[in-house]
Amino acid sequence: MSGRKIGEVILDLQNISLRFGGVKALTNISFDVREHEVRAIIGPNGAGKSSMLNVINGVYHPQEGRINFRGEERRKMEPHMAAMQGIARTFQNIALFKGMTVLDNVMTGRITKMKANFLEQAIRIGRAGREEVEHRKKVEEVIDFLEIQHIRKTPVGRLPYGLQKRVELARALAAEPSMLLLDEPMAGMNVEEKQDMCRFILDVNDQFGTTIVLIEHDMGVVMDISDRVVVLDYGKKIGDGTPDEVRNNQEVIAAYLGVAH
Amino acid sequence: MQFFFEVLIGGLLSGVMYSFVALGFVLIYKASGVFNFAQGAMVFAAALTFVGFQELGVPFWLALLIAFGVMVVLGILTERIVLRPLVNQPPITLFMATIGLTYVIEGLAQGAWGANVRGLELGIQDEPIEWLMETANISVSKFDLFGAGVAALLVTLLALFFQYTRIGRALRAVADDHQAALSIGIPLQQIWRIVWAVAGFVALVAGLIWGARNGVSFSLTFTALKALPVLILGGFTSIPGAIVGGLIIGSTEKLAEVYLGEYVGGGIDSWFPYVMALAFLLVRPEGLFGEKHIDRV
Amino acid sequence: MFYREAGQFKTTYLADQQIFPITQDRIGVLLILAVAFVAVPMLFNEYWIKAILIPFLIFSLAALGLNILTGYAGQLSLGSAAFMAVGAFASYNFMLRVDGMPILIAFVCGGLSAAVVGIAFGLPSLRIKGFYLAVATLAAQFFIVWALTKFGWFSNYSSSGVITAQEMQIFGYKFVTAESKYLLVLSIVVLLALAAKNMVRSSIGRAWMAVRDMDVAAEVIGIRIMHTKLLAFAVSSFYCGVAGALYAYAYIGTVEPEGFNLDLSFKILFMIIIGGVGSIVGAFLGAAFIVLLPIALDVMVQEWLHGIFPPSISSNLQLVVFGGLIIFFLIVEPHGLARLWQIGKQKLRLWPFPH
Ligand SMILES: Nc1ncnc2c1ncn2[C@@H]1O[C@H](COP(=O)(O)OP(=O)(O)OP(=O)(O)O)[C@@H](O)[C@H]1O
Ligand SMILES: [Mg+2]
């Protein structure tokens, strides 16, 4: 990894608890994320990893706990607010807009940056038309970066799984986020696709300094690319530290017994 | 106060009928995930078929049997022609298909029997029950009580059917998990046919009772559509929800018509159930008995 | 041979983002417009213009409105006719109560009134989806028709809420003949269709489709769901409202609230299902189909079934055929005629060489 500098803590979660009816998805979890780092969340199925991401960008609202993002304390945040503040994400089960082309999906990723109101768009004069062209440029850059030029005008529903995952990443990147949340970006991919995806993630981190929070089951990948790892099990935090520290943590080994790599 | 109770009781009794029709919706929805907009048209078609055969001189029981048979055939055809090709389509597509089905059923029924309003005689008078009149001075129609009684009886029977018969259990298994039901070897298509047949039966009984009260005409479809707000209130999957929802809609509708109607010119029962269900949804989107659901991502 | 995009390389994004990026499409649209504005008024007789073309255009507009809401934003509505009613009655009242009200402004005000009512009845969409919402829109359908009938003020206290549209006049020119009415309707519909096309290919259109396809992801991207849905309700109702006003002023002349009943709402829904959900062309194709079908059926019944069935058969036959077609299209071609249109163009692109 290159000369990028890991900075201050920009996201700090304190004593987060989240319940769904009787199910305790997260219990009293605290952890932080530093600027420019690659932070991994790992844990067995149902551990609460996805829920953690959902709490960070406001899809779920924890019953208890505090979240501090860039020095701002928040009790409750709606997802679009998180987007405005520069948090983008991808989903465990691909959540692309199926009826739209790749280009439109990625263009949609820039929505927070487009300012023309609907009347201007309806008549397409002035700002509205200019904006479409400007943002199209940016979007094409992202498309080039992720090497998906050839499928630009294909409806996403027709793409194979691996490419869909990549388009989803493109959509998130189009927002030029300062923090990127990735929920199992490599699940279901073959080795080659995984390598590509790893490269893209590291490149994003490297070139744009984007902070990355990543959920991944492939231990090899996690240990390779992350700076720090937090381990969840049954909604509780059982380990937190560098990949090496986590690897040697007794509790983590116990939780992963039989699953460990 | 007496008047209030009269209205309330009248409302509750007609509410039982709403519950009953709503039950037809719930059955189909639970078993096949289809929100069957055509239920109203089925009520109309069933009643029209019954009256039509009676007019031809067919005796009561036979006409009832034939009408039931027609509804069963209709259910089977629907399963075969409409639902099977649309399996795995989004629910909203199936919903729109049942709107199409509504038109087909209405067209066929009216084409076969004509569109004029028919009377339907069940032999029960629409007059107050004397005993109640004398003791409590409350006027409750015999007919309403009879209709509610029949509906309540059938609701109970259906509930028992679901609880204790093999088919009933299979139906519930399908409702809970299609995949699981398939994997333990329950033939889904057969289940659907049974459910549509039962829903056809429900439609027939509802059509008879309502038809006897208001005449058999196209407006029956609108009456039956009032089961929709009942469902919103009670939730699409809950049988108790359908029952309680029906009672609430029935009683508030009548009370509103009597106590609010005069200020706004009357006739508010055409929309009141819908607006009421809507207002309710704004407060509690999950319905009376539904659980709060958060989309999983 | 003539329909080719090969060789038309887009050197700028601007060129790629034109409303009709393929030259032949551009020419085609201009041709259609030329025919519609110039040839049609000369070639068609009054019956065709009055009884078929004008309602076709008006229903296209209403279908366009519903398609924005249902096809693009994914919110199923069963109350389109009620919003048409609002447009018709609001325009009528603006004309009646405001001295010297220009007719076009009255149409706009009618549309805006419908938009406001649409927003009100769209509020539940923030909490409920799918057929829960569809049922909720029935509330709009029944309530609005009832209110327009019951409160005499809306119809200037005429019996059972009937209104008679005032004369249309722009800068002293009176729209009396069928041709003039047709041209007025056509102009309005073309402008609004262009605006709709522009909206759906801009960020608001993408926001609508995003909410339709995956609302949670849309929100996470930064789309304000409430704003987006309510805007869809507003724009859609505006279109339906203007369509309703035109229905009263340029088509029927005398309308009552009951004329905008559930049946009409379904008809508009059928137009978009048959024409193509989520397609601008589809709204037009669907409207043409639904306007022409009953006429074709009537002719058929009279020609072929004459004497075999009573004439009343035709209305019931219509119901069965409509319903059957809906089911047929949902099963066989869920993207409707618009998809067939596209396939046709694709074929043309290869013509005369099949491969
Ligand atoms: N929207 C929801 N409604 C109800 N329960 C939920 C919801 N989201 C998550 N849960 C529950 O919370 C717990 C944690 O789920 P979560 O999806 O966060 O796990 P995970 O670690 O991401 O698992 P996996 O590796 O399978 O993706 C599970 O028991 C799950 O059933
Ligand atoms: Mg997960």
Side-chain angles (χ1 to χ4, degrees):
Chain A
M1 269 164 265
S2 69
R4 83 206 145 83
K5 271 223 280 301
I6 292 179
E8 299 288 297
V9 169
I10 52 166
L11 174 69
D12 191 18
L13 298 127
Q14 293 286 333
N15 310 97
I16 301 287
S17 293
L18 171 73
R19 289 180 300 274
F20 296 103
V23 179
K24 285 184 177 171
L26 298 170
T27 314
N28 199 22
I29 291 186
S30 305
F31 80 100
D32 58 28
V33 178
R34 292 168 181 276
E35 190 148 28
H36 308 311
E37 79 172 330
V38 178
R39 184 74 150 123
I41 303 177
I42 64 171
N45 288 79
K49 306 179 294 296
S50 298
S51 300
M52 201 66 235
L53 288 198
N54 284 329
V55 165
I56 294 177
N57 76 336
V59 177
Y60 294 168
H61 301 295
Q63 279 84 6
E64 282 151 45
R66 290 205 310 268
I67 303 167
N68 188 308
F69 184 63
R70 294 189 181 283
E72 241 176 271
E73 186 83 20
R74 54 179 233 228
R75 278 220 52 81
K76 195 175 167 181
M77 166 130 76
E78 295 306 323
H80 72 264
M81 296 299 294
M84 297 285 190
Q85 296 192 8
I87 304 179
R89 80 173 273 188
T90 66
F91 297 84
Q92 180 169 358
N93 302 307
I94 296 172
L96 285 171
F97 308 126
K98 282 200 202 66
M100 299 157 72
T101 62
V102 169
L103 186 61
D104 277 342
N105 265 278
V106 185
M107 279 294 272
T108 312
R110 287 195 73 74
I111 206 131
T112 53
K113 301 213 157 24
M114 301 181 82
K115 298 285 176 289
N117 65 34
F118 84 98
L119 274 179
E120 292 169 298
Q121 296 180 28
I123 323 175
R124 257 235 193 187
I125 43 158
R127 196 155 63 155
R130 268 203 316 278
E131 261 188 2
E132 284 285 315
V133 176
E134 266 165 41
H135 290 276
R136 174 74 184 273
K137 275 191 201 125
K138 198 76 212 166
V139 161
E140 291 290 343
E141 279 170 32
V142 174
I143 287 179
D144 286 345
F145 180 79
L146 290 178
E147 298 159 18
I148 46 177
Q149 303 89 335
H150 57 294
I151 50 169
R152 217 190 251 121
K153 301 239 163 134
T154 317
V156 290
R158 289 200 211 138
L159 297 174
Y161 184 82
L163 274 181
Q164 291 200 10
K165 283 248 163 199
R166 212 187 280 186
V167 175
E168 209 186 4
L169 179 61
R171 187 179 68 186
L173 286 180
E176 299 176 79
S178 66
M179 180 181 279
L180 186 56
L181 315 177
L182 302 172
D183 198 341
E184 306 197 9
M186 286 163 249
M189 287 188 168
N190 62 31
V191 178
E192 199 183 328
E193 287 172 325
K194 273 188 187 177
Q195 277 171 354
D196 280 345
M197 193 50 107
C198 266
R199 179 163 56 86
F200 290 135
I201 294 172
L202 287 175
D203 281 353
V204 169
N205 181 244
D206 213 35
Q207 290 182 20
F208 312 130
T210 312
T211 309
I212 288 173
V213 182
L214 164 92
I215 297 175
E216 187 46 58
H217 277 298
D218 187 324
M219 277 314 133
V221 170
V222 170
M223 296 302 163
D224 255 12
I225 68 172
S226 41
D227 298 303
R228 291 193 299 156
V229 183
V230 56
V231 192
L232 303 183
D233 190 22
Y234 290 113
K236 297 206 177 71
K237 183 167 103 171
I238 58 169
D240 192 355
T242 63
D244 279 331
E245 283 166 6
V246 166
R247 218 191 317 251
N248 298 321
N249 179 325
Q250 281 310 315
E251 227 180 318
V252 176
I253 295 171
Y256 268 91
L257 212 60
V259 194
H261 282 251
Chain B
M1 208 52 196
Q2 239 144 21
F3 181 60
F4 173 83
F5 278 117
E6 250 174 58
V7 176
L8 182 65
I9 292 172
L12 286 174
L13 293 180
S14 67
V16 176
M17 289 298 299
Y18 290 149
S19 308
F20 185 53
V21 177
L23 208 62
F25 281 98
V26 172
L27 285 180
I28 292 186
Y29 187 75
K30 272 185 90 106
S32 56
V34 178
F35 183 73
N36 178 29
F37 196 83
Q39 190 75 30
M42 282 163 65
V43 170
F44 172 56
L48 203 55
T49 310
F50 172 80
V51 180
F53 276 103
Q54 259 201 334
E55 279 177 357
L56 293 178
V58 176
F60 183 91
W61 287 109
L62 194 58
L64 198 64
L65 214 63
I66 295 175
F68 178 55
V70 169
M71 295 318 285
V72 171
V73 171
L74 187 71
I76 291 172
L77 286 178
T78 302
E79 189 277 322
R80 182 71 200 83
I81 299 173
V82 185
L83 300 184
R84 209 182 292 178
L86 284 174
V87 77
N88 292 331
Q89 291 294 314
I92 208 79
T93 303
L94 282 154
F95 174 67
M96 293 195 284
T98 63
I99 295 181
L101 185 63
T102 306
Y103 271 60
V104 175
I105 294 176
E106 286 169 5
L108 287 178
Q110 291 190 84
W113 302 110
N116 38 354
V117 182
R118 312 289 222 306
L120 194 160
E121 197 45 65
L122 293 179
I124 287 112
Q125 299 310 313
D126 190 6
E127 55 188 26
I129 300 166
E130 282 147 35
W131 174 81
L132 255 181
M133 202 65 190
E134 278 159 20
T135 47
N137 199 19
I138 293 175
S139 146
V140 172
S141 156
K142 265 184 195 168
F143 186 88
D144 284 351
L145 192 67
F146 166 77
V150 171
L153 181 73
L154 284 171
V155 169
T156 318
L157 282 178
L158 282 175
L160 292 177
F161 170 75
F162 265 86
Q163 206 64 40
Y164 294 110
T165 63
R166 202 183 78 87
I167 294 175
R169 279 196 295 271
L171 284 173
R172 278 188 300 147
V174 176
D176 292 339
D177 187 344
H178 283 200
Q179 234 44 47
L182 279 178
S183 64
I184 57 171
I186 299 172
L188 202 54
Q189 273 138 15
Q190 193 184 338
I191 298 281
W192 285 1
R193 284 197 287 268
I194 294 174
V195 163
W196 278 78
V198 174
F201 176 67
V202 167
L204 174 60
V205 177
L208 291 187
I209 297 175
W210 265 327
R213 184 142 207 21
N214 305 328
V216 178
S217 74
F218 192 70
S219 65
L220 262 186
T221 58
F222 291 107
T223 315
L225 274 191
K226 291 217 188 109
L228 297 181
V230 170
L231 290 169
I232 290 201
L233 217 55
F236 286 141
T237 52
S238 162
I239 290 182
I243 295 169
V244 176
L247 295 178
I248 293 178
I249 292 285
S251 52
T252 51
E253 175 188 72
K254 286 282 180 328
L255 288 172
E257 178 68 48
V258 169
Y259 288 101
L260 299 177
E262 57 179 312
Y263 299 109
V264 291
I268 66 175
D269 57 344
S270 70
W271 55 265
F272 186 82
Y274 296 92
V275 173
M276 155 117 183
L278 228 160
F280 182 84
L281 275 181
L282 287 177
V283 186
R284 226 186 117 82
E286 61 272 22
L288 273 176
F289 293 94
E291 295 215 335
K292 203 175 166 77
H293 169 84
I294 300 169
D295 279 339
R296 204 174 280 232
V297 284
Chain C
M1 203 43 160
F2 302 109
Y3 190 73
R4 286 279 187 284
E5 60 177 327
Q8 299 182 23
F9 293 111
K10 308 294 181 315
T11 46
T12 63
Y13 295 134
L14 186 62
D16 195 35
Q17 288 173 347
Q18 278 172 349
I19 187 160
F20 301 109
I22 303 174
T23 311
Q24 283 85 342
D25 273 347
R26 256 194 317 274
I27 297 171
V29 168
L30 287 178
L31 217 68
I32 291 176
L33 286 181
V35 168
F37 274 102
V38 183
V40 165
M42 295 196 303
L43 294 177
F44 284 89
N45 64 21
E46 179 159 331
Y47 168 78
W48 263 82
I49 292 180
K50 243 191 182 148
I52 295 171
L53 290 171
I54 291 181
F56 154 68
L57 287 170
I58 292 172
F59 284 130
S60 299
L61 191 59
L64 210 56
L66 181 61
N67 223 346
I68 286 173
L69 183 63
T70 302
Y72 286 94
Q75 314 294 309
L76 180 57
S77 162
L78 303 178
S80 329
F83 297 114
M84 288 178 71
V86 174
F89 279 76
S91 300
Y92 170 77
N93 277 291
F94 277 108
M95 288 299 284
L96 182 76
R97 291 167 208 281
V98 182
D99 254 350
M101 184 67 157
I103 186 75
L104 289 179
I105 305 291
F107 289 164
V108 172
C109 290
L112 289 176
S113 309
V116 170
V117 179
I119 290 176
F121 281 97
L123 284 174
S125 73
L126 307 179
R127 316 227 25 194
I128 51 174
K129 299 180 196 172
F131 24 65
Y132 278 91
L133 179 66
V135 172
T137 58
L138 284 176
Q141 176 65 53
F142 293 128
F143 178 79
I144 290 171
V145 170
W146 172 85
L148 291 176
T149 316
K150 274 291 171 314
F151 298 109
W153 186 85
F154 290 121
S155 56
N156 206 19
Y157 302 98
S158 79
S159 64
S160 75
V162 179
I163 57 170
T164 301
Q166 300 91 343
E167 202 175 47
M168 292 188 290
Q169 194 174 351
I170 298 177
F171 297 126
Y173 179 82
K174 292 189 173 129
F175 291 83
V176 196
T177 63
E179 279 101 49
S180 66
K181 286 181 183 170
Y182 164 80
L183 286 174
L184 179 68
V185 173
L186 180 65
S187 316
I188 293 174
V189 171
V190 166
L191 284 180
L192 286 178
L194 278 179
K197 181 84 188 163
N198 278 338
M199 275 187 273
V200 300
R201 68 198 181 100
S202 305
S203 71
I204 181 63
R206 289 191 291 268
W208 284 335
M209 290 186 270
V211 169
R212 170 194 72 188
D213 286 349
M214 186 63 80
D215 52 356
V216 180
E219 208 177 352
V220 163
I221 278 176
I223 293 171
R224 283 174 298 163
I225 303 283
M226 179 171 99
H227 178 95
T228 307
K229 282 187 180 171
L230 291 185
L231 187 59
F233 269 96
V235 173
S236 159
S237 308
F238 178 88
Y239 276 65
C240 287
V242 174
L246 292 175
Y247 187 81
Y249 280 83
Y251 178 41
I252 303 264
T254 300
V255 291
E256 54 172 346
E258 236 335 282
F260 299 97
N261 55 16
L262 186 61
D263 217 37
L264 185 60
S265 289
F266 279 153
K267 235 184 214 159
I268 297 166
L269 177 66
F270 290 175
M271 288 175 198
I272 70 166
I273 294 176
I274 290 179
V277 176
S279 150
I280 302 279
V281 195
F284 287 90
L285 297 176
F289 194 89
I290 299 276
V291 168
L292 288 175
L293 185 68
I295 299 172
L297 281 178
D298 266 348
V299 171
M300 253 171 51
V301 169
Q302 270 163 23
E303 296 278 309
W304 302 340
L305 305 177
H306 188 70
I308 309 174
F309 290 107
S312 69
I313 193 80
S314 127
S315 70
N316 291 319
L317 186 67
Q318 229 182 77
L319 289 177
V320 177
V321 171
F322 271 150
L325 276 171
I326 292 308
I327 296 170
F328 175 83
F329 268 95
L330 287 172
I331 293 173
V332 178
E333 187 48 84
H335 297 285
L337 295 172
R339 169 54 63 83
L340 300 180
W341 174 270
Q342 248 182 355
I343 294 174
K345 285 206 305 191
Q346 220 92 55
K347 289 252 163 69
L348 203 59
R349 188 175 295 184
L350 298 174
W351 187 84
F353 313 108
H355 292 290

